[in-house]
Amino acid sequence: MDTSKSLETIKRGAVEIIDEAELTQRLELSRKEKRPLVVKAGFDPTARDIHLGHTVLLRKMRHFQDLGHKVVLLIGDYTAMIGDPSGRSEIRKRISREQAEENAATYTNQASKIIDMDKCQIAFNSKWFGAMSLTDFMSLAALQTVARVLERDDFSKRYKAGKEISLLEFIYPLLQGYDSVVLKSDVELGGTDQKFNLLMGKVLQRRFNMPQQVVLTMPLLEGTDGVQKMSKSLGNYIGITDEPSQMFGKIMSISDTLMWRYYELLTDTGIDEIKAMKCDTESGKMHPKQAKIRLAKDIIAQYHNSRLAESAAVEFEKIFVKKDIPDDVLVYKVDKGGLEDGRIWICALLTKSDLTKSNTQARSMIKQGAVLVNQKKISDENMKIIPEDGMVIQVGKRRFIRLSLR
């Protein structure tokens, strides 16, 4: 592939390339010398599971792989024990080495759904930091000033607000930058919140008399709420290991506007085709729901398969359009001996079966008209029902149980 076509693929969805002229030169030289570029992306294994927000970077790594370049998946097992505050307003909790190793194993296994692990180098930065002496570290620390680190936006805000910044956090950008020195990276990928750290790699490579890496930043994907970046702690995430029906429902819940961003960052649908679909929905030629169904099927097929994607679409149609009960409802067993006069308080049933987190939430859901028994709304929060075999209890649009008496 010629350089212009390669650049077109690389630039898809990217926010910034520092700098593009340098990247163009390196791509040209790579093609002439038949030497692949070393493309690095680092991930701190602070969590076990990957959501679609993480896949934005992983998909960009796959783009570089498809162009014939060498990608390095750097697992920051050492730096995860320090805590990176990028984009945060407070200190992030550090994790143990054992937890980092456990998370890393799960993370790389899930990443294999996106990148070709047979053509990927997996590196752990504990390999070089774990062997670094105090003298080596002090020499590295001498290469940067406190004033420069305080230029980082999140540090600056916290400092002005009188919030704590640990010395360990000051060290983090330096360590991430040194990763690039060790790996001799030509290109480093990261989210926009990582820009300072990525640029530190260029600074340190220059200090070590090495060619400076090109920095490519990717956007932070908004979650299902369309506002905050996707995060498990915020509950607005779509996990790549989520059940197909769950993924389908979450994707269908995003706004019509956000849908196009998901198309660009999470699928291989051509940009021109995306623009054409967008025009069709704006003109009324295509209903936005049809475009969203196609998006949901595409994403589910990537992480499960096409058959399950189709099944999820059918299931969604049954539940949300035809208002039918799904086929694979979880069975909740009710002990008849534990019933009082053969009845059970509806709120207690909802809580015991995990349809709600508490009796208070159960009352609230009933008041909202969100609780159905055999597809009939319940309005009395004090109601006691007589449970029957096969009775279906529903809370909201997605939560169901089928009762079984024992």
Side-chain angles (χ1 to χ4, degrees), residues 253-270:
S253 74
I254 67 174
S255 70
D256 294 347
T257 302
L258 185 59
M259 167 174 62
W260 306 115
R261 189 165 168 82
Y262 275 42
Y263 259 113
E264 181 180 11
L265 297 173
L266 305 177
T267 78
D268 292 324
T269 306

Side-chain angles (χ1 to χ4, degrees), residues 107-346:
Y107 203 105
T108 52
N109 180 56
Q110 292 177 20
S112 68
K113 292 177 176 288
I114 303 158
I115 57 178
D116 185 347
M117 289 309 214
D118 292 333
K119 298 178 181 177
C120 171
Q121 177 188 345
I122 299 176
F124 293 82
N125 63 8
S126 60
K127 181 178 180 181
W128 45 90
F129 288 128
M132 185 177 278
S133 68
L134 180 59
T135 302
D136 293 334
F137 172 74
M138 297 300 282
S139 298
L140 179 62
L143 298 177
Q144 194 51 267
T145 66
V146 170
R148 179 64 194 277
V149 177
L150 274 176
E151 291 174 5
R152 183 163 149 172
D153 187 56
D154 47 357
F155 279 162
S156 178
K157 287 177 180 176
R158 285 165 58 187
Y159 182 73
K160 289 175 182 176
K163 293 188 176 182
E164 289 186 354
I165 305 174
S166 72
L167 288 176
L168 282 175
E169 292 177 275
F170 265 29
I171 292 165
Y172 187 95
L174 200 63
L175 298 182
Q176 183 171 332
Y178 188 67
D179 290 337
S180 295
V181 172
V182 174
L183 295 171
K184 298 180 174 62
S185 55
D186 293 298
V187 181
E188 183 169 14
L189 313 177
T192 52
D193 60 340
Q194 290 285 324
K195 183 177 177 179
F196 184 93
N197 294 354
L198 303 175
L199 292 174
M200 186 65 74
K202 292 174 71 72
V203 171
L204 292 187
Q205 285 179 326
R206 184 174 68 248
R207 294 293 186 97
F208 280 85
N209 298 313
M210 296 170 59
Q212 296 176 57
Q213 67 184 15
V214 172
V215 166
L216 186 151
T217 60
M218 295 296 293
L220 304 178
L221 185 71
E222 296 88 350
T224 52
D225 58 1
V227 180
Q228 302 275 9
K229 82 170 183 177
M230 190 173 286
S231 166
K232 195 164 187 179
S233 61
L234 294 175
N236 65 351
Y237 72 102
I238 303 172
I240 69 169
T241 57
D242 283 352
E243 291 296 321
S245 58
Q246 189 178 14
M247 288 182 77
F248 200 98
K250 287 182 179 181
I251 295 168
M252 293 300 291
S253 74
I254 67 174
S255 70
D256 294 347
T257 302
L258 185 59
M259 167 174 62
W260 306 115
R261 189 165 168 82
Y262 275 42
Y263 259 113
E264 181 180 11
L265 297 173
L266 305 177
T267 78
D268 292 324
T269 306
I271 296 297
D272 290 340
E273 190 176 352
I274 294 172
K275 288 178 179 176
M277 276 195 292
K278 189 175 182 181
C279 286
D280 286 346
T281 58
E282 289 172 349
S283 67
K285 188 177 179 180
M286 173 188 280
H287 195 286
K289 178 187 170 187
Q290 296 307 117
K292 207 175 290 182
I293 287 174
R294 175 178 167 177
L295 172 67
K297 286 181 179 180
D298 187 316
I299 292 174
I300 293 168
Q302 290 180 51
Y303 303 109
H304 294 281
N305 58 54
S306 298
R307 180 182 60 79
L308 290 175
E310 289 292 341
S311 296
V314 171
E315 191 72 12
F316 181 86
E317 184 78 9
K318 285 179 63 178
I319 299 172
F320 294 94
V321 180
K322 297 179 181 178
K323 307 296 184 182
D324 287 348
I325 297 170
D327 297 326
D328 56 345
V329 176
L330 290 174
V331 174
Y332 178 72
K333 294 181 179 180
V334 177
D335 182 5
K336 291 187 291 186
L339 299 177
E340 184 178 339
D341 297 327
R343 298 172 182 268
I344 185 170
W345 179 35
I346 183 64

Side-chain angles (χ1 to χ4, degrees), residues 54-68:
H54 297 124
T55 70
V56 173
L57 273 188
L58 292 168
R59 284 180 54 80
K60 186 56 61 181
M61 291 179 75
R62 182 57 189 250
H63 289 166
F64 275 99
Q65 275 191 323
D66 291 343
L67 293 170

